[in-house]
Structure formats: C-alpha cells, structure tokens
Amino acid sequence: MSDSASRLSIVELQKDYRSGKRSPAEAVNDIIDSIQSRDEKLGAYISFDPEAALKEAEASDVNLPLGGVPIAIKDLINVEGQPCTCASRFLDSSYTSTYDATVITKLRRAGAIPLGRTNMDEFAMGSSSENSGLKPSANPWDIERVPGGSSGGSAICVASDTAIAALGSDTGGSIRQPASFCGCVGLKPTYGRVSRYGLVAFASSLDQIGPITKTSQDAALLLSVISGGDPRDSTALDADVPDYSNSLSGDVKGLRVGLPKEYFTSGIDPGVKTCIDDAISHLEKLGAEIVEVSLPHTEYAVATYYIIATAEASANLARFDGVRYGNRATSHDGILDHYRLSRAAGFGDEVKRRIILGTYVLSSGYNDAYYVRAQKVRTLIRNDFATAFSEVDVIVSPTAPTTAFKAGEKSSDPLQMYLADIFTIAANLAGICGASTPCGTVQSDTGTALPVGLQILGPHLSEGTVLRITDAFEKTTDWHRQRPPSQ
Ligand code: GLN
C-alpha cells in the first residue's frame, strides 16, 4: 500500500505520469484497491464503477491539465449515465443522469476521470452526513465520530486515501466543515465562480461547487479547470479565470488579516482555540499583519441562513413529485395523494423538516415577517463583510467551533446541529469565497487525535489570495500531511 497512487496529491500523481513512473490505469487500479479495502467501514462512496473508470484511464492523455487524474464526485452532481442519488431514498437506483453537469464537462475536457459518487447528507441538508438516507459514514480519524457534512463522503475519501481529490458543494459550509473535520483542504468559491448547471439545487442563491483536496496546490488546479461563465447558468460569472496555481507564491508578507471580534468571544472549544491562536501567530511570523475587525450582524447569521435556505429548498424540492423523478407511489387516491405518498416515503426527516419550515416562512402572512426580513438581514451581513474588506485582505477564523463530534451527539437536536455552522454560513449569505486548511489536532476524550481547520475568507473573486495564504501555511507546516492513524 505504501507506494499506492491513492496516497498521492494531484500534483504528485501528475509528476509520476509525466516521468513514466506510473500510468493512469495503474493509478485507478490502486484507488479501486484502496476503496475495496477501506471503504466498507468508512462509507465514503455511495457507488463507483471500476470498469468504466479503468476504460477512461486507458484512453486518457496525461498531457492535458488533469489528464488521467481520477476525481470523486459528490452524489448530487450529474454525470451522464450514472446514478445521482443525493443520498436520498427518493432517487436511489431509480434515477440515472441524462447529462453531464458543466463542472463534469470541464473536468472531462481537462482529461480528468470522474471516479465514484460520494456519500452526503440527503440533498446536502446537514452538517454531519448522518442525514444520508442511504448509508452511514464515519470519520477516518475516529470511526465513532462524524466526518462532517454535507460533503462528508468527499472529505472522507480524500483523508483516507481512497481518492486523490473530490468535488463537494457548499451551501452553508458543506465543503469547508467536513474538510476541517477530516483534515483536508476545502474551498468554497465565490458565488458564480463555478457553474451550478447540473448540480441538484438545494438553495440556489447559496450553492457552490468546489474542491476538497490534500493540498491548496491541488485546489488551485481543480478550481482553474471548473471555474468560468456558462450560458446554461445565468448566475455563473463571466469573469476571467486565472491559472490559480500562479497565485501560490508562498509569500504573505504585508497581507492584512482580519480577526472578527464577534467570532472570538465564546463557544469555541478550547483545544480548537489554541490551534487557531497558534495558526494566527504563524501567519504573523510569515509577515502577515493581524488586525481586529468587526462583523456586527454575526449573531443573526444562523437564523437568516435557516430561513433563506429552507425557503429556497422548499421551492427547489417541489420538483420531486413522484411523476418526473424517482420514487413513485404505486397505489394512490388521485394526483394529490400520489404526490403526498411519493414524497412521504422518499424524503428523510431532515428534508421534510426543511420543506415544512421553508413553506411556512414563505406562506402568505408570514412572508414579510420571516423571508423578506431575512433578505434584509442578509444585506446587512453582506455589508459587514464589504466594510471589513475595505480594511483587510482576508478574514481568519476557526472553520468550526469544535472538532468532529460523536455520531448521534447532535442528531436529535437540530438547533445544536445548526449552531455548528456559525463560522461558515455567513460567507454563503455574502457570496464571498473561503477555504479551510488543516492547522492542528486536538486529543479527544478517548485519546484520538482530531484535526482542526483554519478558515480564510476573502472578498468576491479573491480565491487567488485565499489560496496563496493557505498554501503559504501548508508550505511552512505539515498539518495537511498528517494522516488518520490507520493509514
Ligand atoms: N449545514 C448546513 C445545512 O444543513 C449547510 C449545508 C450545506 O452547505 N450544504 O444547511
């Protein structure tokens, strides 16, 4: 296993390809072996098709930007001919994608091989992946604990070396938080940086696809490939796509790094706080200037997000009616009963809770009090960031207030689960970009080491700056190279 390609980053794999040390087919075979030996207890993959991946590997051109590089895909991004379950019983086995999402078209054009569909919270609703309607998953650092969510499977496979890199989606933290819990790098691009065409919509004004990787160099490579305007997504920005690898100068001297005073009050686990304080001192030693900033509406972010996200989800999920897609009630008493029975049997509890909440906040009489007001607060939150970014280049915080929690610890209390998103969701409300990179570990009460993520948030389209900082951090520390104990 020690020379298995599955342990490599994209950059390392490409070096091996180009020097002739290994071929894409050999690499894909290594990954298949790694999945077969490890994934049963981790549950990162919902499905994968070894033969199809090998066929693509044999035909791949290693001179393309991602030639022969296998990428695991969260199971809510359409890949033609493959299932796309969104980890929901509603779509399980009864739906096959008829087209490629734009990110998949772009990956293919760059020579990459979509390999495997990763587990997640059903329809991306959750922070632990416990809401998967199809199978449980576990954190490779401690299998009693959750991998985070909703892109839990994508983070597990990167952390456990059952993938080279993966795509996830982030509506309120679903790339950054699982990356933090599993010790990977996760990047949520600016809203509109990456096309959402072919991403099954949860909350359309918040959703973004992005990479989960072993290094920021890999995130830069993937982001350069998947970004860009798209005639099929009117919210995809036409802005130029730089080669993000060129931003990784390793130099952060003179960059102004903001610490929001509202983020560093209470509620952060002491072990996490120590790692973040050390990471901030480290950035200072590298030449960054640390400045206190204020994001005064922080305390309203969770409530605002859970109104807007559920409102949009209730509308988006109306398409799952048992007529056009997926689960279909067989005996019913008329069309309304058909919808009701199909939806009742197909959706899990959290998805139902969100649809009910979202329908309520949009209902006549309550729309102004909840939805319209939440939109106003969203503007205040966006303005907070604009003001802060007039003083600093980036903002730094923990990605999550705690390390990975135990399975079952928060699943019976949705509010506790929602509060765990405190540091990630404001970025989605403001549409800005952000990344998480490993910055330490904390000993759990049972003695296992659990990773901590450092979050760097930047203004719209500043992915280059954000990655420059996470990369500089990685070049001078080795937290991102640490592997779960069994690896
Ligand atoms: N945890 C958040 C939620 O449950 C975010 C999910 C996401 O980013 N997809 O909505």
Side-chain angles (χ1 to χ4, degrees):
M1 224 22 144
S2 65
D3 195 38
S4 169
S6 63
R7 302 176 69 91
L8 304 177
S9 66
I10 298 178
V11 171
E12 290 166 338
L13 183 64
Q14 288 181 316
K15 258 193 213 132
D16 281 4
Y17 285 170
R18 287 168 190 169
S19 71
K21 184 177 172 203
R22 57 179 106 223
S23 69
E26 284 165 341
V28 164
N29 265 321
D30 282 353
I31 292 164
I32 294 168
D33 285 349
S34 179
I35 296 173
Q36 280 165 348
S37 69
R38 294 192 189 137
D39 199 51
E40 202 177 316
K41 73 169 196 266
L42 297 175
Y45 286 93
I46 288 179
S47 64
F48 80 107
D49 182 345
E51 283 96 60
L54 271 171
K55 224 194 220 159
E56 287 188 54
E58 271 150 19
S60 59
D61 174 357
V62 298
N63 294 312
L64 290 170
L66 288 176
V69 177
I71 309 284
I73 309 291
K74 187 176 181 180
D75 210 11
L76 80 175
I77 297 172
N78 282 280
V79 181
E80 189 179 344
Q82 293 189 9
C84 182
T85 67
C86 302
S88 179
R89 278 176 289 130
F90 207 106
L91 293 169
D92 184 25
S93 72
S94 56
Y95 179 74
T96 304
S97 299
T98 54
Y99 67 103
D100 277 341
T102 296
V103 290
I104 301 297
T105 307
K106 285 176 183 272
L107 281 182
R108 287 195 198 284
R109 217 178 280 150
I113 305 167
L115 192 161
R117 311 306 308 257
T118 60
N119 206 353
M120 52 184 284
D121 287 300
E122 183 177 7
F123 288 106
M125 297 174 188
S127 312
S128 68
S129 298
E130 290 167 291
N131 296 334
S132 170
L134 301 185
K135 65 196 269 192
S137 55
N139 190 310
W141 292 80
D142 177 348
I143 56 167
E144 304 290 303
R145 290 172 189 269
V146 303
S150 64
S151 312
S154 292
I156 300 169
C157 63
V158 172
S160 65
D161 290 330
T162 56
I164 305 290
L167 288 186
S169 68
D170 190 311
T171 304
S174 279
I175 288 175
R176 292 160 287 158
Q177 185 255 25
S180 167
F181 279 15
C182 292
C184 321
V185 175
L187 174 85
K188 182 205 98 71
T190 302
Y191 184 75
R193 176 75 295 193
V194 177
S195 166
R196 292 179 296 111
Y197 178 74
L199 167 73
V200 177
F202 160 13
S204 309
S205 76
L206 302 161
D207 300 338
Q208 269 294 286
I209 298 171
I212 297 186
T213 52
K214 294 173 187 173
T215 64
S216 290
Q217 280 187 317
D218 284 4
L221 265 173
L222 265 177
L223 184 67
S224 304
V225 167
I226 63 173
S227 295
D230 181 3
R232 291 177 158 139
D233 173 5
S234 60
T235 65
L237 299 167
D238 267 328
D240 277 352
V241 180
D243 179 347
Y244 287 104
S245 304
N246 292 336
S247 311
L248 312 182
S249 62
D251 182 11
V252 299
K253 274 190 207 80
L255 278 181
R256 287 170 68 83
V257 171
L259 304 185
K261 62 173 192 244
E262 294 80 4
Y263 283 21
F264 289 91
T265 47
S266 60
I268 304 178
D269 171 270
V272 171
K273 173 89 170 49
T274 306
C275 293
I276 300 299
D277 288 345
D278 290 351
I280 292 166
S281 311
H282 186 77
L283 289 175
E284 203 167 11
K285 273 196 219 110
L286 295 178
E289 195 186 325
I290 311 295
V291 184
E292 187 180 270
V293 293
S294 175
L295 298 171
H297 297 92
T298 297
E299 65 175 304
Y300 305 111
V302 173
T304 304
Y305 169 86
Y306 277 95
I307 290 173
I308 293 173
T310 56
E312 294 184 18
S314 71
N316 276 325
L317 270 65
R319 77 194 60 183
F320 300 104
D321 54 9
V323 176
R324 284 169 294 182
Y325 311 100
N327 186 60
R328 178 171 293 187
T330 42
S331 73
H332 53 81
D333 186 14
I335 187 71
L336 287 179
D337 197 45
H338 175 264
Y339 294 155
R340 196 176 57 77
L341 292 175
S342 303
R343 287 164 71 82
F347 292 142
D349 287 349
E350 183 62 26
V351 173
K352 287 177 186 162
R353 182 181 294 125
R354 305 260 179 137
I355 293 172
I356 292 167
L357 252 170
T359 307
Y360 177 77
V361 300
L362 287 175
S363 60
S364 97
Y366 293 99
N367 189 55
D368 282 351
Y370 293 106
Y371 183 69
V372 173
R373 192 176 287 186
Q375 291 292 11
K376 290 179 180 162
V377 180
R378 180 178 191 171
T379 303
L380 297 175
I381 290 170
R382 176 185 277 260
N383 292 345
D384 283 356
F385 279 102
T387 307
F389 286 132
S390 66
E391 293 164 36
V392 293
D393 298 294
V394 294
I395 285 170
V396 162
S397 78
T399 304
T402 65
T403 50
F405 43 88
K406 290 204 175 103
E409 195 178 315
K410 295 184 201 273
S411 48
S412 56
D413 185 347
L415 262 187
Q416 277 310 311
M417 191 74 92
Y418 298 170
L419 287 169
D421 299 335
I422 177 76
F423 298 129
T424 48
I425 53 184
N428 302 72
L429 290 167
I432 59 174
C433 59
S436 179
T437 191
C439 71
T441 57
V442 173
Q443 287 274 316
S444 74
D445 51 3
T446 50
T448 49
L450 299 173
V452 175
L454 174 73
Q455 177 173 247
I456 313 277
L457 298 175
H460 298 103
L461 296 178
S462 69
E463 285 82 354
T465 312
V466 166
L467 287 170
R468 184 167 130 210
I469 299 174
T470 52
D471 171 69
F473 191 82
E474 290 159 29
K475 280 181 173 139
T476 51
T477 57
D478 69 357
W479 297 112
H480 67 292
R481 265 187 225 106
Q482 305 223 347
R483 283 285 172 274
S486 59
Q487 250 68 268

